[in-house]
């Protein structure tokens, strides 16, 4: 019986102040925590510098953990148009960095991530954190953003085949 080669997935939860990241490895039905963390930008700097800080931080994470695939949470629109625009710019960096590393990048709506991890499309952060720990007892995360990034990576491992098909047809 041939064993499926392990696939390393990075989940990215974009944000201008804090961008969470989480790396997991999947092989067949097994899921293994590798690392997580948060890339931050200095609020004292201008937008362009902050975006570069996110770019440089995520680039270093990709060099260190060499993922095979990336998953990024889609932006939700909030009432503050300026905040939504800034989040969109940070999300652009979160998609650009893995694309520059020639990784396929999948996108998931927040409700899809919650449904994949906790079984329903609506839930609280503490429920997501608890289920991340249930699915990967050795998982550690320093921020809510890192925990959310792990949830995005887990979501991608559940949807990899359909995501690969979507990416193949998008070319």
């Amino acid at each position: 019986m041939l064993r499926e080669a392990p696939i390393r997935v990075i989940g990215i939860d974009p944000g201008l102040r804090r961008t969470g990241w989480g790396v997991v490895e999947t092989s067949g039905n097994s899921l293994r925590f590798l690392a997580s963390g948060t890339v931050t930008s200095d609020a004292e700097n201008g937008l362009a510098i902050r975006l570069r800080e996110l770019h440089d931080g995520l680039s270093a994470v990709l060099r260190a953990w060499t993922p095979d695939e990336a998953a990024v949470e889609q932006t939700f629109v909030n009432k503050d148009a300026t905040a939504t625009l800034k989040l969109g710019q940070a999300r652009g960096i979160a998609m650009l960095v893995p694309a520059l590393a020639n990784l396929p990048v999948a996108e998931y709506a927040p409700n899809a991530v919650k449904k994949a991890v906790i079984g329903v499309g609506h839930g609280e952060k503490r429920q997501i954190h608890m289920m991340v720990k249930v699915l990967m007892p050795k998982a550690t995360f320093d921020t809510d953003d890192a925990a959310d990034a792990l949830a995005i990576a887990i979501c991608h491992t559940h949807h990899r085949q359909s995501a690969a098909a979507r990416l193949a047809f998008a070319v």
Side-chain angles (χ1 to χ4, degrees):
M1 181 172 152
L2 292 174
R3 187 169 172 106
E4 185 179 320
I7 301 293
R8 197 172 278 196
V9 174
I10 184 167
I12 303 173
D13 181 32
L16 185 57
R17 281 183 274 158
R18 292 178 311 277
T19 291
W21 60 271
V23 181
V24 301
E25 194 170 74
T26 183
S27 179
N29 290 331
S30 71
L31 185 63
R32 185 167 69 105
F33 167 78
L34 296 179
S36 71
T38 308
V39 175
T40 59
S41 71
D42 185 345
E44 299 294 317
N45 291 331
L47 179 61
I49 299 299
R50 293 178 76 185
L51 293 172
R52 187 192 71 207
E53 291 170 338
L54 296 178
H55 174 277
D56 293 350
L58 282 175
S59 295
V61 170
L62 263 61
R63 282 191 305 276
W65 290 101
T66 60
D68 301 301
E69 300 175 5
V72 178
E73 188 170 62
Q74 291 176 339
T75 304
F76 63 90
V77 178
N78 50 51
K79 295 176 185 172
D80 182 352
T82 302
T84 300
L85 181 59
K86 288 179 180 178
L87 177 58
Q89 291 167 321
R91 189 170 169 278
I93 296 298
M95 294 179 70
L96 174 67
V97 170
L100 287 172
N102 294 314
L103 300 181
V105 178
E107 301 174 64
Y108 297 96
N111 286 351
V113 173
K114 290 174 184 172
K115 187 166 188 169
V117 176
I118 62 174
V120 293
H122 300 282
E124 296 177 19
K125 285 204 182 286
R126 65 178 176 75
Q127 290 175 295
I128 293 168
H129 298 181
M130 183 185 71
M131 280 307 295
V132 166
K133 291 294 279 182
V134 166
L135 294 169
M136 296 181 302
K138 294 182 180 179
T140 59
F141 35 86
D142 59 355
T143 64
D144 286 347
D145 306 289
D148 290 348
L150 285 169
I152 295 161
I154 292 167
C155 176
H156 182 66
T157 65
H158 292 174
H159 296 285
R160 281 188 66 243
Q161 299 306 329
S162 60
R166 281 195 310 272
L167 291 171
F169 290 115
V171 176

